[in-house]
Amino acid sequence: MDGNGRWARRRGMPRSVGHKAGADNLESMCDYLNSIGVKALTVYAFSTENWSRPQDEVDALMDLLYGYLLTVEEKFKNRNMKLKISGDTSAFSEKIRGAIAHAEEVTAPGDGMVLNIALNYGGRSEITRAARLAAEAVKEGKITPDDIDEDYIGGLMYTADLPEVDLIIRPSGEQRLSNFLLWQAAYAELWYSDICWPDFKEKDMERAIIDYQNRDRRFGNV
Ligand code: IPE
Ligand code: MG
């Protein structure tokens, strides 16, 4: 969900206003994607690197996150959607961790789209964590090193219970992954847009999806 800050600054407003606009846009985007049958949407909301932003911006993002989490139960239930958080949530306040646990629990029965929010998430840290978990399993005698294959490591990713990533969209003109879903991106299609996230609307998403549908995915085959 990139470009919130620039979107706001271009309008002479504080960056936090852009983050709010971005959060509002996520809501309508979820409605749209859920309605067309998308099974899972992962959004990058806060990276392991975002802590180094000015404290007031980090605080504003945490307030926004907490406020958002409080709305999940009511909003998701009507839409049959399910919330999932990916990342090291131990770094968040107790208040936020409680709200995450509650939101995940009450939406767990939903069989519509899963909204997976990457929070304090980094692709490298996710892979490192998987390596550590695998090493611990070997040490405890639960598996041998030979048991560690791609399926096993994939099963240790936060996204283990989600379908394969088909399409990664980065708005706001940047053309890089910035530590997002590094493992999962192996065969994902990429789509870049110059539009900042708060302005990235249904028609833009539809363009990306139609383009995706017309690609020839060979997965290394011919
Ligand atoms: C939102 O956009 C992404 C978050 C980390 C919350 P940015 O805050 O990165 O906006 P730009 O890239 O500075 O415009
Ligand atoms: Mg950015």
Side-chain angles (χ1 to χ4, degrees), residues 2-3 6 15 53 170 172 174:
D2 201 12
R6 278 164 287 163
R15 292 174 55 85
R53 291 189 175 193
R170 180 150 192 179
S172 89
E174 315 289 3

Side-chain angles (χ1 to χ4, degrees), residues 1-8 10 15 18-19 44-47 50 53 57 61 170 172 174 196-197:
M1 299 188 287
D2 201 12
N4 294 343
R6 278 164 287 163
W7 181 92
R10 279 177 203 149
R15 292 174 55 85
H19 294 311
Y44 208 173
F46 197 85
S47 76
N50 286 151
R53 291 189 175 193
E57 181 166 347
L61 284 166
R170 180 150 192 179
S172 89
E174 315 289 3
C196 287
W197 170 250

